[in-house]
mmCIF file of all heavy atoms in Angstrom:
data_model
loop_
_atom_site.group_PDB
_atom_site.id
_atom_site.type_symbol
_atom_site.label_atom_id
_atom_site.label_comp_id
_atom_site.label_asym_id
_atom_site.label_seq_id
_atom_site.Cartn_x
_atom_site.Cartn_y
_atom_site.Cartn_z
ATOM 1 N N THR A 359 14.975 7.796 -2.182
ATOM 2 C CA THR A 359 15.208 8.928 -1.305
ATOM 3 C C THR A 359 14.507 10.169 -1.859
ATOM 4 O O THR A 359 14.215 10.243 -3.048
ATOM 5 C CB THR A 359 16.713 9.244 -1.191
ATOM 6 O OG1 THR A 359 17.260 9.416 -2.504
ATOM 7 C CG2 THR A 359 17.459 8.099 -0.488
ATOM 8 N N GLY A 360 14.250 11.119 -0.972
ATOM 9 C CA GLY A 360 13.673 12.397 -1.362
ATOM 10 C C GLY A 360 14.729 13.416 -1.737
ATOM 11 O O GLY A 360 15.933 13.105 -1.767
ATOM 12 N N ARG A 361 14.289 14.637 -1.968
ATOM 13 C CA ARG A 361 15.189 15.693 -2.411
ATOM 14 C C ARG A 361 16.230 16.026 -1.359
ATOM 15 O O ARG A 361 17.325 16.500 -1.715
ATOM 16 C CB ARG A 361 14.363 16.919 -2.776
ATOM 17 C CG ARG A 361 15.160 18.013 -3.501
ATOM 18 C CD ARG A 361 14.231 19.054 -4.072
ATOM 19 N NE ARG A 361 14.954 20.030 -4.854
ATOM 20 C CZ ARG A 361 14.393 20.965 -5.629
ATOM 21 N NH1 ARG A 361 13.069 21.036 -5.710
ATOM 22 N NH2 ARG A 361 15.139 21.834 -6.307
ATOM 23 N N ASP A 362 15.930 15.802 -0.099
ATOM 24 C CA ASP A 362 16.910 16.095 0.960
ATOM 25 C C ASP A 362 17.848 14.929 1.228
ATOM 26 O O ASP A 362 18.693 14.967 2.116
ATOM 27 C CB ASP A 362 16.199 16.476 2.272
ATOM 28 C CG ASP A 362 15.349 15.347 2.836
ATOM 29 O OD1 ASP A 362 15.242 14.285 2.187
ATOM 30 O OD2 ASP A 362 14.798 15.541 3.934
ATOM 31 N N GLY A 363 17.713 13.846 0.477
ATOM 32 C CA GLY A 363 18.604 12.710 0.634
ATOM 33 C C GLY A 363 18.178 11.720 1.674
ATOM 34 O O GLY A 363 18.869 10.710 1.855
ATOM 35 N N SER A 364 17.071 11.924 2.331
ATOM 36 C CA SER A 364 16.606 10.939 3.311
ATOM 37 C C SER A 364 15.696 9.927 2.671
ATOM 38 O O SER A 364 15.168 10.138 1.566
ATOM 39 C CB SER A 364 15.856 11.661 4.443
ATOM 40 O OG SER A 364 14.707 12.317 3.940
ATOM 41 N N ARG A 365 15.475 8.829 3.361
ATOM 42 C CA ARG A 365 14.588 7.787 2.795
ATOM 43 C C ARG A 365 13.205 8.363 2.602
ATOM 44 O O ARG A 365 12.631 8.994 3.484
ATOM 45 C CB ARG A 365 14.530 6.572 3.738
ATOM 46 C CG ARG A 365 13.657 5.442 3.196
ATOM 47 C CD ARG A 365 13.625 4.249 4.129
ATOM 48 N NE ARG A 365 12.854 4.522 5.323
ATOM 49 C CZ ARG A 365 11.547 4.297 5.454
ATOM 50 N NH1 ARG A 365 10.849 3.842 4.417
ATOM 51 N NH2 ARG A 365 10.934 4.555 6.585
ATOM 52 N N ALA A 366 12.649 8.154 1.420
ATOM 53 C CA ALA A 366 11.274 8.590 1.149
ATOM 54 C C ALA A 366 10.327 7.796 2.033
ATOM 55 O O ALA A 366 10.545 6.602 2.288
ATOM 56 C CB ALA A 366 10.956 8.384 -0.333
ATOM 57 N N PRO A 367 9.265 8.417 2.521
ATOM 58 C CA PRO A 367 8.408 7.747 3.507
ATOM 59 C C PRO A 367 7.728 6.485 2.989
ATOM 60 O O PRO A 367 7.360 5.620 3.779
ATOM 61 C CB PRO A 367 7.388 8.811 3.880
ATOM 62 C CG PRO A 367 7.426 9.810 2.766
ATOM 63 C CD PRO A 367 8.833 9.801 2.273
ATOM 64 N N TYR A 368 7.534 6.386 1.683
ATOM 65 C CA TYR A 368 6.893 5.215 1.118
ATOM 66 C C TYR A 368 7.845 4.062 0.866
ATOM 67 O O TYR A 368 7.444 2.922 0.685
ATOM 68 C CB TYR A 368 6.201 5.576 -0.189
ATOM 69 C CG TYR A 368 7.131 6.215 -1.192
ATOM 70 C CD1 TYR A 368 8.008 5.450 -1.967
ATOM 71 C CD2 TYR A 368 7.187 7.608 -1.353
ATOM 72 C CE1 TYR A 368 8.886 6.012 -2.849
ATOM 73 C CE2 TYR A 368 8.058 8.191 -2.218
ATOM 74 C CZ TYR A 368 8.909 7.406 -2.975
ATOM 75 O OH TYR A 368 9.809 7.987 -3.843
ATOM 76 N N SER A 369 9.154 4.332 0.784
ATOM 77 C CA SER A 369 10.119 3.370 0.275
ATOM 78 C C SER A 369 10.261 2.177 1.218
ATOM 79 O O SER A 369 10.380 2.315 2.430
ATOM 80 C CB SER A 369 11.497 4.017 0.084
ATOM 81 O OG SER A 369 12.442 3.045 -0.339
ATOM 82 N N ASN A 370 10.299 0.997 0.625
ATOM 83 C CA ASN A 370 10.649 -0.187 1.392
ATOM 84 C C ASN A 370 12.116 -0.067 1.843
ATOM 85 O O ASN A 370 12.891 0.694 1.287
ATOM 86 C CB ASN A 370 10.461 -1.437 0.567
ATOM 87 C CG ASN A 370 9.004 -1.832 0.432
ATOM 88 O OD1 ASN A 370 8.120 -1.212 1.035
ATOM 89 N ND2 ASN A 370 8.712 -2.855 -0.377
ATOM 90 N N TYR A 371 12.449 -0.833 2.838
ATOM 91 C CA TYR A 371 13.753 -0.717 3.466
ATOM 92 C C TYR A 371 14.243 -2.068 3.901
ATOM 93 O O TYR A 371 13.594 -3.096 3.690
ATOM 94 C CB TYR A 371 13.668 0.252 4.671
ATOM 95 C CG TYR A 371 12.555 -0.135 5.650
ATOM 96 C CD1 TYR A 371 12.793 -1.100 6.618
ATOM 97 C CD2 TYR A 371 11.307 0.463 5.579
ATOM 98 C CE1 TYR A 371 11.772 -1.463 7.504
ATOM 99 C CE2 TYR A 371 10.291 0.095 6.465
ATOM 100 C CZ TYR A 371 10.533 -0.871 7.416
ATOM 101 O OH TYR A 371 9.550 -1.234 8.306
ATOM 102 N N GLY A 372 15.407 -2.115 4.535
ATOM 103 C CA GLY A 372 15.911 -3.350 5.100
ATOM 104 C C GLY A 372 17.107 -3.927 4.347
ATOM 105 O O GLY A 372 17.591 -3.353 3.368
ATOM 106 N N ALA A 373 17.547 -5.060 4.864
ATOM 107 C CA ALA A 373 18.788 -5.655 4.319
ATOM 108 C C ALA A 373 18.688 -6.072 2.870
ATOM 109 O O ALA A 373 19.713 -6.237 2.184
ATOM 110 C CB ALA A 373 19.152 -6.886 5.185
ATOM 111 N N ALA A 374 17.479 -6.248 2.352
ATOM 112 C CA ALA A 374 17.331 -6.637 0.942
ATOM 113 C C ALA A 374 17.645 -5.475 -0.002
ATOM 114 O O ALA A 374 17.851 -5.692 -1.187
ATOM 115 C CB ALA A 374 15.927 -7.147 0.678
ATOM 116 N N VAL A 375 17.647 -4.249 0.497
ATOM 117 C CA VAL A 375 17.944 -3.083 -0.333
ATOM 118 C C VAL A 375 19.451 -2.994 -0.554
ATOM 119 O O VAL A 375 20.228 -3.004 0.413
ATOM 120 C CB VAL A 375 17.416 -1.783 0.287
ATOM 121 C CG1 VAL A 375 17.782 -0.594 -0.573
ATOM 122 C CG2 VAL A 375 15.914 -1.854 0.493
ATOM 123 N N ASP A 376 19.860 -2.866 -1.808
ATOM 124 C CA ASP A 376 21.306 -2.799 -2.115
ATOM 125 C C ASP A 376 21.824 -1.374 -2.184
ATOM 126 O O ASP A 376 22.972 -1.110 -1.823
ATOM 127 C CB ASP A 376 21.552 -3.485 -3.460
ATOM 128 C CG ASP A 376 21.324 -4.975 -3.417
ATOM 129 O OD1 ASP A 376 21.931 -5.621 -2.549
ATOM 130 O OD2 ASP A 376 20.505 -5.470 -4.195
ATOM 131 N N ILE A 377 21.000 -0.456 -2.645
ATOM 132 C CA ILE A 377 21.446 0.925 -2.807
ATOM 133 C C ILE A 377 20.213 1.827 -2.839
ATOM 134 O O ILE A 377 19.118 1.381 -3.182
ATOM 135 C CB ILE A 377 22.271 1.078 -4.111
ATOM 136 C CG1 ILE A 377 23.073 2.372 -4.130
ATOM 137 C CG2 ILE A 377 21.409 0.918 -5.357
ATOM 138 C CD1 ILE A 377 24.122 2.424 -5.228
ATOM 139 N N MET A 378 20.386 3.083 -2.457
ATOM 140 C CA MET A 378 19.323 4.082 -2.528
ATOM 141 C C MET A 378 19.578 5.012 -3.710
ATOM 142 O O MET A 378 20.717 5.224 -4.118
ATOM 143 C CB MET A 378 19.256 4.879 -1.213
ATOM 144 C CG MET A 378 19.130 4.047 0.033
ATOM 145 S SD MET A 378 17.576 3.129 0.166
ATOM 146 C CE MET A 378 16.455 4.461 0.574
ATOM 147 N N ALA A 379 18.524 5.591 -4.255
ATOM 148 C CA ALA A 379 18.624 6.532 -5.373
ATOM 149 C C ALA A 379 17.441 7.474 -5.313
ATOM 150 O O ALA A 379 16.416 7.169 -4.677
ATOM 151 C CB ALA A 379 18.668 5.781 -6.702
ATOM 152 N N PRO A 380 17.560 8.651 -5.945
ATOM 153 C CA PRO A 380 16.459 9.582 -5.897
ATOM 154 C C PRO A 380 15.176 9.004 -6.479
ATOM 155 O O PRO A 380 15.140 8.576 -7.636
ATOM 156 C CB PRO A 380 16.960 10.762 -6.754
ATOM 157 C CG PRO A 380 18.447 10.666 -6.687
ATOM 158 C CD PRO A 380 18.729 9.195 -6.657
ATOM 159 N N GLY A 381 14.139 8.957 -5.676
ATOM 160 C CA GLY A 381 12.837 8.517 -6.130
ATOM 161 C C GLY A 381 11.771 9.579 -5.947
ATOM 162 O O GLY A 381 10.659 9.470 -6.448
ATOM 163 N N GLY A 382 12.152 10.629 -5.188
ATOM 164 C CA GLY A 382 11.261 11.743 -5.022
ATOM 165 C C GLY A 382 10.384 11.621 -3.780
ATOM 166 O O GLY A 382 10.103 10.520 -3.274
ATOM 167 N N ASN A 383 9.958 12.767 -3.273
ATOM 168 C CA ASN A 383 8.993 12.850 -2.158
ATOM 169 C C ASN A 383 8.178 14.118 -2.405
ATOM 170 O O ASN A 383 8.654 15.236 -2.184
ATOM 171 C CB ASN A 383 9.712 12.915 -0.812
ATOM 172 C CG ASN A 383 8.730 12.958 0.338
ATOM 173 O OD1 ASN A 383 7.512 12.919 0.159
ATOM 174 N ND2 ASN A 383 9.283 13.074 1.542
ATOM 175 N N MET A 384 6.957 13.929 -2.875
ATOM 176 C CA MET A 384 6.115 15.054 -3.248
ATOM 177 C C MET A 384 5.111 15.394 -2.142
ATOM 178 O O MET A 384 4.112 16.072 -2.403
ATOM 179 C CB MET A 384 5.383 14.697 -4.548
ATOM 180 C CG MET A 384 6.340 14.482 -5.714
ATOM 181 S SD MET A 384 5.630 13.566 -7.129
ATOM 182 C CE MET A 384 4.386 14.711 -7.671
ATOM 183 N N SER A 385 5.350 14.938 -0.945
ATOM 184 C CA SER A 385 4.398 15.180 0.139
ATOM 185 C C SER A 385 4.270 16.654 0.481
ATOM 186 O O SER A 385 3.222 17.106 0.959
ATOM 187 C CB SER A 385 4.785 14.375 1.381
ATOM 188 O OG SER A 385 6.099 14.735 1.813
ATOM 189 N N GLY A 386 5.320 17.421 0.281
ATOM 190 C CA GLY A 386 5.268 18.847 0.605
ATOM 191 C C GLY A 386 5.166 19.722 -0.620
ATOM 192 O O GLY A 386 4.635 20.828 -0.560
ATOM 193 N N ASN A 387 5.655 19.225 -1.750
ATOM 194 C CA ASN A 387 5.722 20.066 -2.935
ATOM 195 C C ASN A 387 6.011 19.167 -4.136
ATOM 196 O O ASN A 387 6.841 18.255 -4.043
ATOM 197 C CB ASN A 387 6.823 21.110 -2.781
ATOM 198 C CG ASN A 387 6.673 22.266 -3.759
ATOM 199 O OD1 ASN A 387 6.497 22.051 -4.935
ATOM 200 N ND2 ASN A 387 6.750 23.478 -3.250
ATOM 201 N N ALA A 388 5.372 19.429 -5.243
ATOM 202 C CA ALA A 388 5.596 18.592 -6.439
ATOM 203 C C ALA A 388 7.012 18.687 -6.934
ATOM 204 O O ALA A 388 7.493 17.767 -7.612
ATOM 205 C CB ALA A 388 4.622 19.046 -7.546
ATOM 206 N N SER A 389 7.736 19.745 -6.616
ATOM 207 C CA SER A 389 9.119 19.860 -7.073
ATOM 208 C C SER A 389 9.998 18.809 -6.444
ATOM 209 O O SER A 389 11.138 18.595 -6.884
ATOM 210 C CB SER A 389 9.661 21.262 -6.767
ATOM 211 O OG SER A 389 9.715 21.462 -5.370
#
Side-chain angles (χ1 to χ4, degrees):
T359 55
R361 191 168 184 171
D362 64 355
S364 62
R365 183 179 71 90
Y368 55 81
S369 177
N370 284 355
Y371 52 84
V375 178
D376 293 304
I377 196 168
M378 306 294 285
N383 181 2
M384 298 162 65
S385 59
N387 198 310
S389 65

